[in-house]
Amino acid sequence: MNSPVISIITIVFNGEKHLEQTIRSVLDQSLKPVQYIIIDGGSTDHSVEIIKKYEKHLYFWISEKDNGISDALNKGISRATGDIVGIIHADDWYEPGVFQRVAENFGSEEVYYGDIQWWKDQKKAFVQVANFDLLNREMTIIHPTVFIKKDIYDRLGGYDNRFRCAMDYDMLLKLKVNRCRFKYIPYVLANMRLGGFSDNQWKLGCRETLAIKNRYLPEKKTSNYLYYLKHVTAISAAKTLEYLKLGSITKYYRKLFSPVKKVYDN
């Protein structure tokens, strides 16, 4: 069987600090060719200069004002013609060999996903192990590790512009309730830094997550709200402990009690 054509989309706005690392993590993959699309939101830093440096390796790129993350993602998806689409933002980067792993697992399933390595202050923080079964509760599959067949986007639509933080959760839960078939690839597929936009806007993210759960799981509105309260309390407590330099308590709790498995290096 021939390898699938993989379309990769990167969206960026004033992301010069890490953009080149993101681009190199795509272009340095062993599996080629890959259809690489970059959507820049009209950056005023050196992002466009970095993109132009790699222009000959890109399938398409554009720099223009957009209406937010979802709008930029949908622009990229509309240009993609590959069999399967991956999304890696300009602050994240792929592990080596990821596209080869996707190609080796490619089959009748519509969504492929794996684990994520989180980083803090240039150091590895923990690996979050993906969990499809808990997706009804919260974002337990992280978007840089996700690859979705293009015909699913064509059939079910793109990202919802109403959400500023949790549009990726909206997409994944939509795919799940529409009975799309998911396949887990048991490897770290991508890397993310703690402290990104969604992390800094966590309260908005929690509110959007609740709205999304009520949208797709309306029969569980009461339990959705109770879980929202629990989740907000847990995050608030963790941030307070971190501020007091007692983050080891949070780490210990997560190791013992968190339903989402997190593997720490130390």
Side-chain angles (χ1 to χ4, degrees):
M1 179 179 177
N2 293 331
S3 294
V5 176
I6 301 175
S7 297
I8 299 297
I9 299 167
T10 292
I11 65 169
V12 57
F13 178 70
N14 289 342
E16 63 179 4
K17 185 175 181 180
H18 301 297
L19 176 59
E20 190 156 18
Q21 181 184 22
T22 304
I23 293 173
R24 293 266 26 130
S25 80
V26 175
L27 299 181
D28 290 345
Q29 293 287 321
S30 58
L31 183 68
K32 296 179 177 38
V34 170
Q35 187 186 84
Y36 194 16
I37 297 166
I38 299 181
I39 306 296
D40 178 82
S43 292
T44 56
D45 63 358
H46 296 290
S47 294
V48 172
E49 294 173 32
I50 295 170
I51 295 169
K52 287 182 176 179
K53 178 180 175 181
Y54 296 95
E55 188 172 21
K56 67 179 181 179
H57 302 290
L58 304 179
Y59 176 75
F60 174 82
W61 76 276
I62 193 170
S63 180
E64 63 181 18
K65 187 176 180 180
D66 54 50
N67 293 316
I69 295 173
S70 293
D71 183 46
L73 289 173
N74 291 335
K75 285 182 182 180
I77 292 167
S78 70
R79 291 282 181 172
T81 62
D83 300 299
I84 192 166
V85 179
I87 293 170
I88 190 84
H89 293 334
D91 200 38
D92 312 326
W93 69 102
Y94 284 124
E95 282 287 292
V98 167
F99 301 163
Q100 185 64 45
R101 293 195 189 282
V102 172
E104 289 169 354
N105 283 274
F106 189 79
S108 61
E109 297 84 3
E110 289 106 354
V111 185
Y112 301 80
Y113 66 98
D115 302 334
I116 189 89
Q117 172 72 64
W118 289 94
W119 292 71
K120 183 177 182 180
D121 301 327
Q122 307 303 315
K123 294 181 180 179
K124 291 182 177 180
F126 57 86
V127 171
Q128 181 173 334
V129 179
N131 192 321
F132 174 79
D133 293 333
L134 295 179
L135 193 58
N136 287 11
R137 296 188 187 181
E138 59 182 278
M139 187 73 172
T140 53
I141 298 174
I142 309 301
H143 68 84
T145 76
V146 176
F147 295 80
I148 301 171
K149 285 185 175 178
K150 179 57 163 58
D151 60 4
I152 296 301
Y153 281 120
D154 295 338
R155 179 164 64 88
L156 297 179
Y159 291 84
D160 193 326
N161 282 307
R162 289 176 291 180
F163 300 115
R164 292 180 53 209
C165 293
M167 68 290 295
D168 45 358
Y169 182 64
D170 178 73
M171 175 60 68
L172 287 170
L173 199 53
K174 175 170 67 173
L175 298 180
K176 183 175 181 179
V177 300
N178 277 279
R179 300 186 182 279
C180 291
R181 290 163 294 178
F182 284 62
K183 184 172 185 179
Y184 174 53
I185 301 174
Y187 296 94
V188 171
L189 301 186
N191 300 267
M192 289 188 77
R193 294 177 176 85
L194 292 165
F197 177 77
S198 295
D199 195 35
N200 291 328
Q201 298 289 328
W202 68 270
K203 291 181 181 178
L204 175 60
C206 287
R207 292 195 299 271
E208 289 186 351
T209 297
L210 175 61
I212 290 162
K213 289 164 70 172
N214 288 341
R215 178 185 191 182
Y216 295 112
L217 306 167
E219 73 283 0
K220 297 183 178 181
K221 281 190 176 182
T222 299
S223 60
N224 290 343
Y225 184 69
L226 291 174
Y227 194 83
Y228 162 78
L229 293 177
K230 175 186 174 183
H231 198 51
V232 168
T233 301
I235 295 175
S236 298
K239 289 187 175 294
T240 299
L241 289 170
E242 187 74 23
Y243 177 77
L244 296 173
K245 301 189 183 304
L246 296 172
S248 58
I249 296 176
T250 302
K251 185 186 296 186
Y252 181 75
Y253 173 85
R254 286 172 173 168
K255 282 183 176 180
L256 291 182
F257 303 111
S258 176
V260 180
K261 185 177 178 181
K262 295 179 180 179
V263 181
Y264 291 85
D265 286 347
N266 49 54

